[in-house]
């Protein structure tokens, strides 16, 4: 095995190939390295853009190498602090990056769920225009070489109360998630406009609950609407069975957890 | 695997050794440097027995690449006692916070960073701070008590 370190992301991107894996915080890659099952080349980069956090007009651009602890310490990312705090224990938060979270398989990937609900866009190294996180998640694992993410552009919710996140786990304070849910429900004149609900561990990648979103769109957040959204929580989702929960169990409880999250948002 | 030289500061002294590329910091410290205080529990990030402090933050040495600590400051439990035992070590003994002792070096690292940053932690702060460290013996209460007692002692001193 070889470890290659590059000063710039552009060089690192050029060095990628089917026999290489990019390593950020390494909390997942190093498990494979320790087990002797990793790719034969590990590509790293110390490019400072990876750890930059920049406020843009209506959002924040987060370098893909920003750790959960760095996100927690940044005022511009206060709207994501409950999400960053939900990942792992202190040591993991000091190492785990936001870019790496986008590639983490269930039961991991809690941060990516929040990014999906917020409509984040992803800037790939060496490519100009940002693309929707959905596209990156859809393509994840499909091709043998995945592109390197430079930064994630996150729109800041205009009303912080319009965004909520819940990680459902069996062990407190540090258990991994049975599922995670994020909801962004911006309101105009009391009506929801642009509802986005995302689930983690309810499919192969974080996914949107589009049926529940449609129910909420244009409505006010009241008990009847919440009940209908909860009923359709799993519509179109195909939850996995893993060591934490069966697909059946996830289907059973997803609606209830969505309902609780929406009720919390209703109470404000 | 090719070997690379790694120069870093361990518990205040400069150290240098060769590390195979891909070797984790835990193995490097134990086999390459001879510091046996960080422990191997799982090699997967779940137990915290391998916790060390890198540039003031706790990290899991089993998931850190040895070559990545080039030029950085690493602290381990073996650097805590400085002539005499560290107040945290003293409190761990006083409160029976170590039984088999396997989790202790990692616990001490997490506790040290907590107290360095927050001299007056609440019980909840302590629980959060050691939430990445598993202990199979004590049931945690004695460990939490020991850390809180250290904080109290320091404030009185
Ligand atoms: C004990 C423990 C507890 C954990 N708890 C949680 C938890 O509660 N919630 C959670 O979500 N996760 C958890 N994780 C998983 C993991 O730590 C996080 O998902 C983390 O964000 C992964 O980031 P990383 O930088 O460590 O990734 P790495 O291990 O460096 O990389 C992971 C994957 O992402 C790819 N990658 C990384 N950065 C980029 C980039 N910039 N561009 C393209 N590809 C990239 C890598 O190639 C690799 O495939 C836990 C892990 C451990 C060990
Ligand atoms: S050995 Fe590193 S966390 Fe268990
Ligand atoms: S004292 Fe035995 S594991 Fe903690």
């Amino acid at each position: 095995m070889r470890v290659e370190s590059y000063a710039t992301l552009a060089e690192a991107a050029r060095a990628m190939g089917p026999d290489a894996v990019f390593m950020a915080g390494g909390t997942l890659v190093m498990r494979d390295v320790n087990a002797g099952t990793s790719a034969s080349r590990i590509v790293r980069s110390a490019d400072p853009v990876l750890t930059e956090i920049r406020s843009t007009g209506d959002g924040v651009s987060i370098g893909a190498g920003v750790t959960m602890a760095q996100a927690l310490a940044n005022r511009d990312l206060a709207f994501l602090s409950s999400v960053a705090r939900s990942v792992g224990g202190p040591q993991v938060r000091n190492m785990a990056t936001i870019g790496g979270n986008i590639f983490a398989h269930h039961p991991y990937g809690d941060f990516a769920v929040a990014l999906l609900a917020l409509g984040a866009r992803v800037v790939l190294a060496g490519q100009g225009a940002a693309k929707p996180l959905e596209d990156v998640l859809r393509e994840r694992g499909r091709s043998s070489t995945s592109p390197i993410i430079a930064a994630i552009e996150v729109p800041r919710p205009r009303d912080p109360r319009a965004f909520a996140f819940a990680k459902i786990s069996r062990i407190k304070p540090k258990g991994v998630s049975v599922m995670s849910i994020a909801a962004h429900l911006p309101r105009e004149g009391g009506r929801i406009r642009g509802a986005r609900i995302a689930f983690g561990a309810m499919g192969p990648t974080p996914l949107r609950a589009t049926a529940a979103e449609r129910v909420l769109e244009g409505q006010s957040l009241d008990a009847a609407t919440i009940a209908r959204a909860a009923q359709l929580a799993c519509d179109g989702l195909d939850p996995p069975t893993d060591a934490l929960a069966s697909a059946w169990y996830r289907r059973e409880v997803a609606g209830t957890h969505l309902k609780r999250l929406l009720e919390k948002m209703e109470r404000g | 695997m090719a070997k690379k030289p790694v120069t870093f500061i361990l518990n205040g002294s400069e150290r240098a050794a060769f590390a195979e590329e891909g070797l984790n910091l835990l193995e490097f410290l134990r086999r390459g440097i001879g510091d046996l205080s960080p422990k191997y529990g799982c090699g997967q990030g779940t137990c915290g027995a391998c916790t060390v402090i890198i540039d003031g933050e706790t990290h899991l040495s089993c998931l850190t690449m040895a070559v990545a600590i080039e030029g950085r400051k690493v602290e381990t439990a073996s650097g805590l006692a400085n002539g005499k035992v560290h107040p945290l070590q003293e409190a761990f003994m006083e409160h029976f916070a170590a039984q088999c002792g396997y989790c202790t070096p990692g616990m001490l690292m997490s506790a040290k960073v907590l107290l360095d940053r927050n001299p007056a932690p609440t019980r909840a702060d302590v629980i959060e701070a050691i939430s990445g460290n598993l202990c199979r013996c004590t049931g945690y209460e004695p460990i939490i008590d020991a850390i809180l007692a250290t904080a109290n002692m320091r404030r009185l001193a």
Side-chain angles (χ1 to χ4, degrees), chain A residues 71 98 100 102 105-106 115 126 131 136-137 154 160 170 174 192 195 198 216 234 237 247 262 264:
Chain A
I98 290 170
I102 293 173
H105 292 259
H106 64 85
L115 294 175
K131 59 182 193 176
V136 174
L137 289 171
V154 193
R170 297 179 198 261
K174 196 206 98 150
I192 297 165
L216 293 165
C234 294
L237 300 180
L262 296 178
K264 210 176 81 188

Side-chain angles (χ1 to χ4, degrees), chain A residues 156-244:
Chain A
R156 186 187 297 104
R158 257 181 290 158
D159 176 1
R161 285 167 309 177
F163 173 72
F165 171 82
K167 171 177 171 174
I168 289 86
S169 57
R170 297 179 198 261
I171 305 162
K172 298 278 161 22
K174 196 206 98 150
V176 291
S177 52
V178 170
M179 68 183 59
S180 45
I181 316 175
H184 186 210
L185 306 176
R187 273 175 263 191
E188 277 169 32
R191 303 272 162 195
I192 297 165
R193 295 262 180 261
R196 288 176 73 98
I197 311 255
F199 271 106
M202 288 295 284
T205 66
L207 289 170
R208 284 171 66 184
T210 45
E213 289 175 355
R214 275 197 299 274
V215 165
L216 293 165
E217 193 64 30
Q219 304 297 311
S220 61
L221 197 59
D222 55 31
T225 313
I226 291 175
R228 270 189 296 136
Q231 232 165 28
L232 293 176
C234 294
D235 221 54
L237 300 180
D238 185 14
T241 292
D242 62 18
L244 283 127

Side-chain angles (χ1 to χ4, degrees), chain A residues 1-5 23 25-31 33-34 42 44 67 69-70 85 88-95 108 173-174, chain B residues 1-2 4 21-24 43-46 48 51 57-60 62-65 67-68 110 117 127-133:
Chain A
M1 194 228 303
R2 249 178 41 216
V3 183
E4 303 169 13
S5 302
M23 182 167 114
T27 55
L28 295 171
V29 170
M30 277 304 283
R31 286 176 159 188
V33 172
N34 289 342
I42 310 268
R44 302 164 63 226
T67 63
Q70 286 163 347
R85 205 174 300 113
Q91 299 97 319
V92 168
R93 287 196 291 275
N94 286 334
M95 303 170 72
Y108 300 144
K174 196 206 98 150
Chain B
M1 281 187 207
K4 273 193 179 164
E21 294 189 50
L23 184 73
N24 66 51
Q44 300 201 339
T46 42
T51 302
E57 287 180 342
T58 51
H59 283 243
L60 299 165
C62 72
L63 298 183
T64 304
M65 218 172 246
V67 295
S110 292
R117 293 186 179 181
I127 292 172
E128 173 58 37
I130 61 167
S131 64
N133 297 79

